[in-house]
Amino acid sequence: MALALDRIRVGSAPDSWGVWFPDDPQQVPWERFLDEVAEAGYSWIELGPYGYLPTDPARLTDEVTKRNLKVSAGTIFCGLHRGPSEWDSTWEQVSRVAALTQAMDAKHLVVIPSFWRDDKTAEILEPPELTTEQWRNLTTGMERLGREVKDKYGLDIVVHPHADTHIDTEEHVEQFLDSTDSDAVNLCLDTGHYAYCGGDSVKLIETYGERIGYLHLKQVDPDILADVVKNEVPFGPAVARGVMCEPPAGVPELGPVLTAAQKLGVDLFAIVEQDMYPCEPDKPLPIAVRTRKFLRSCGA
């Protein structure tokens, strides 16, 4: 008999509707995203890029409530590995996003490290490996961010390993976790990005279970991924090729991931994020419906 996944709260995000930017002519209007994510059967959403959804808390509350939706998290990007000089610009962004996240009664802030390779042009912006000093900047900066966000906004930060950032591979993820305090910062495990970078999500959950604070559910197409890795394709063009695919066609298998997460014995969000930028406006809804049905078949 399959394990009942009663500690897993499933949702989706603007990303699954091809939304990467606050405003972009290739993206669906925010009203359509909210209508369709509710129609697909989800009750939880993320804010996505700040400014895509309304940023006035009263208006956003009205818009999500009338669709029986709730917000699980906001998202920010930061480059704290560069040292204390990054703090003010980071905090300016964080304070806007965290205030809206808090106003929506969400409890998590997803933090994505900045890219070392340009997402569109493939220009190398920084070395892909951090120096010892940069690692120290990154870990101490994230701990400070976690403590100040908790103190001022009551939110838990969850750091999101991501392709083409400095927290990506199993080695880098474990180094980050081993170098940080779980009271200040934990992990948003994105199953697709971790597989993209060669990691095993089930192994990570079983090994570092107390550090898993949030999940993003995603799969990669192993054939496209092999070509992406071979030819050193940057993440943006890889997504346009379809490297992130509709479950259950890719890896990792999500059933075992969800089962491992359930066994942790804590409540966890599991937010579907199928990167599809750019995509045709009629493409996301049928995929979202099928994905929700698939996750129900897994017990979520």
Side-chain angles (χ1 to χ4, degrees), residues 19-277:
V19 175
W20 276 12
F21 304 101
D23 184 32
D24 187 294
Q26 298 188 86
Q27 297 175 170
V28 297
W30 63 266
E31 297 94 336
R32 180 169 179 177
F33 160 67
L34 291 179
D35 288 343
E36 292 188 352
V37 75
E39 183 183 341
Y42 294 101
S43 54
W44 292 95
I45 62 165
E46 291 183 355
L47 295 177
Y50 182 79
Y52 174 66
L53 295 177
T55 56
D56 174 66
R59 185 179 184 202
L60 184 55
T61 298
D62 179 58
E63 294 290 350
V64 299
T65 301
K66 71 185 183 183
R67 296 171 172 89
N68 296 312
L69 296 170
K70 292 169 284 188
V71 175
S72 62
T75 302
I76 67 117
F77 287 81
C78 66
L80 292 174
H81 67 284
R82 299 186 193 112
S85 62
E86 286 287 307
W87 179 261
D88 288 347
S89 61
T90 298
W91 188 255
E92 182 182 9
Q93 178 196 179
V94 167
S95 58
R96 290 194 305 268
V97 178
L100 181 59
T101 303
Q102 179 191 44
M104 300 309 295
D105 290 328
K107 301 301 180 190
H108 294 90
L109 186 68
V110 178
V111 179
I112 302 176
S114 58
F115 285 52
W116 55 261
R117 176 165 58 184
D118 188 279
D119 212 20
K120 289 185 174 178
T121 67
E123 178 190 357
I124 303 298
L125 305 172
E126 299 180 73
E129 292 289 336
L130 296 178
T131 65
T132 301
E133 181 184 11
Q134 287 174 323
W135 264 111
R136 188 165 56 248
N137 289 338
L138 177 63
T139 55
T140 58
M142 288 292 193
E143 287 179 333
R144 179 186 177 188
L145 187 66
R147 293 190 173 100
E148 297 205 16
V149 166
K150 185 72 170 179
D151 181 54
K152 292 182 170 65
Y153 298 100
L155 306 177
D156 293 323
I157 74 164
V158 282
V159 175
H160 181 320
H162 195 292
D164 288 2
T165 77
H166 294 109
I167 307 178
D168 50 3
T169 62
E170 179 179 339
E171 179 186 2
H172 287 161
V173 169
E174 291 186 354
Q175 182 175 351
F176 178 76
L177 292 175
D178 290 342
S179 305
T180 50
D181 184 347
S182 62
D183 289 338
V185 55
N186 287 302
L187 208 67
C188 168
L189 171 57
D190 184 304
T191 60
H193 279 279
Y194 202 50
Y196 186 106
C197 299
D200 180 332
S201 289
V202 171
K203 177 185 172 187
L204 188 68
I205 293 169
E206 291 176 345
T207 308
Y208 287 89
E210 75 283 357
R211 304 299 300 276
I212 306 298
Y214 199 92
L215 293 173
H216 279 170
L217 301 181
K218 188 179 294 176
Q219 286 191 327
V220 295
D221 180 313
D223 294 332
I224 297 176
L225 179 63
D227 186 64
V228 162
V229 171
K230 178 183 176 183
N231 293 296
E232 299 184 352
V233 178
F235 182 67
V239 167
R241 292 186 184 191
V243 72
M244 299 298 182
C245 62
E246 178 182 344
V251 296
E253 285 188 69
L254 295 181
V257 170
L258 292 166
T259 298
Q262 170 71 23
K263 288 178 179 177
L264 297 176
V266 296
D267 293 329
L268 282 174
F269 283 105
I271 305 299
V272 176
E273 262 208 342
Q274 184 184 342
D275 293 296
M276 290 198 294
Y277 179 86

